[in-house]
Amino acid sequence: MTEKITINSLKKMKEIGEKIACLTSYDSSFAKLQDDAGVDMLLVGDSLGMVLQGADNTLRVKMSDMIYHSRIVSDVVKRAIIISDMPFMSYSTPRQALGNAARLIAEGGAQVVKIEGGQELFETVRLITENGIPVCGHLGLTPQSIHQIGGLGVQANTEDTAKKLVEDAISLQSAGASCIVLECVPSEVTADVSKTLNIPVIGIGAGVDCDGQVLVLYDILGLTKTQPKFSKNFLIDHNSIFDAIKDYVAEVKNASFPTSSNSYK
Ligand code: KIV
């Protein structure tokens, strides 16, 4: 029996320098393949709004969607830790956030919930974690704020915004977060955050100097129309989806992915 990954295993992996391989996951068939291929962390991401529902952004994803997809992933997964996204407007007050986080754990079967934002979420993260639910933060490009950010470009690329991102990361850790996703952030800023924090930092478009990587499953299988710079089609050199996912895990573990051409300065 393979041992289930927990937030303690993730912390241990950071301590010993073993990279954490994470992919998004939305259904039982892929989740089973991903788990068998050795993916450490499965993120039931609200990117499902785009890759499954065909929307332009993540904003229309509902709690009921997240619970349904978390459930069908968690029903088959034995080893990987499962993180579920809290959708847009499901955590606008700490009390509302706690209630919805509890549903993702109890009804969805997730082990961790992920929320987008920094210092302004201190009380929210504190309340959720004090109630025994692990939280993953999400900084840098936060797609639920797309209309406020004004696009999907690289973030924290000035001295002031980089400093603010490091402060946000420290605040999430002090509030009790168990890990943080950094999306579309210059490599140097990621390296700084990873060195500063003792919780794992998982990057997407954030360079190689962090504790693990996450990509959207449909991107690595070449199913999306335009491949983002920070991603790679792993199916192109393989005859099976299983082998492509295994290759992704291997390249994350040996730090050959991402390269500088998948990263931002
Ligand atoms: O929803 C998602 O898939 C995500 C990843 C892009 C990190 O949040």
Side-chain angles (χ1 to χ4, degrees):
M1 163 85 186
T2 326
E3 223 172 279
K4 177 81 182 168
I5 307 237
T6 64
I7 53 166
N8 295 333
S9 338
L10 298 179
K11 217 163 167 197
K12 183 90 202 152
M13 287 164 88
K14 177 174 176 114
E15 276 160 24
I16 63 173
E18 179 182 344
K19 299 271 186 191
I20 299 162
C22 176
L23 280 174
T24 64
S25 190
Y26 316 103
D27 72 72
S28 298
S29 303
F30 279 123
K32 174 99 182 61
L33 276 182
Q34 291 171 303
D35 201 32
D36 291 346
V39 180
D40 301 308
M41 187 190 261
L42 292 178
L43 170 65
V44 184
D46 60 357
S47 51
L48 68 84
M50 290 172 288
V51 295
L52 300 188
Q53 299 174 339
D56 289 338
N57 55 50
T58 59
L59 303 182
R60 76 170 185 202
V61 176
K62 301 189 200 71
M63 270 304 294
S64 54
D65 298 326
M66 292 311 305
I67 291 171
Y68 171 74
H69 288 281
S70 300
R71 182 79 265 159
I72 61 177
V73 166
S74 66
D75 274 348
V76 298
V77 168
K78 303 249 177 314
R79 174 180 172 272
I81 188 165
I82 298 167
I83 303 196
S84 288
D85 262 334
M86 300 205 48
F88 181 58
M89 285 297 137
S90 67
Y91 50 101
S92 45
T93 66
R95 275 279 140 204
Q96 182 207 21
L98 177 61
N100 284 325
R103 292 190 68 198
L104 288 173
I105 303 294
E107 298 170 46
Q111 282 92 54
V112 181
V113 297
K114 177 162 84 57
I115 56 179
E116 298 181 5
Q119 299 171 50
E120 71 283 5
L121 290 176
F122 186 92
E123 275 314 314
T124 299
V125 175
R126 200 183 52 80
L127 184 66
I128 299 175
T129 54
E130 274 180 4
N131 279 275
I133 300 174
V135 172
C136 176
H138 184 153
L139 294 170
L141 178 62
T142 47
Q144 290 174 15
S145 312
I146 181 169
H147 296 313
Q148 197 171 38
I149 297 172
L152 293 176
V154 62
Q155 305 295 308
N157 53 357
T158 64
E159 207 178 311
D160 285 353
T161 53
K163 185 165 169 277
K164 161 106 175 48
L165 186 134
V166 177
E167 287 165 4
D168 281 337
I170 294 170
S171 170
L172 289 170
Q173 174 173 279
S174 340
S178 295
C179 52
I180 289 184
V181 166
L182 284 189
E183 180 166 355
C184 290
V185 165
S187 306
E188 265 182 35
V189 179
T190 307
D192 196 10
V193 175
S194 307
K195 258 188 271 137
T196 307
L197 300 191
N198 52 41
I199 55 173
V201 175
I202 313 295
I204 172 165
V208 76
D209 290 321
C210 47
D211 307 302
Q213 299 293 327
V214 56
L215 286 180
V216 171
L217 175 68
Y218 284 36
D219 287 341
I220 74 154
L221 300 179
L223 289 171
T224 26
K225 214 158 98 198
T226 349
Q227 187 69 261
K229 163 190 164 81
F230 54 76
S231 190
K232 173 177 160 182
N233 182 341
F234 282 84
L235 186 58
I236 218 148
D237 295 325
H238 296 283
N239 290 323
S240 80
I241 289 174
F242 185 69
D243 285 345
I245 296 172
K246 269 196 359 197
D247 192 21
Y248 167 73
V249 173
E251 288 203 15
V252 169
K253 296 271 176 199
N254 66 27
S256 55
F257 178 84
T259 63
S260 55
S261 62
N262 306 114
S263 310
Y264 299 99
K265 283 203 180 115

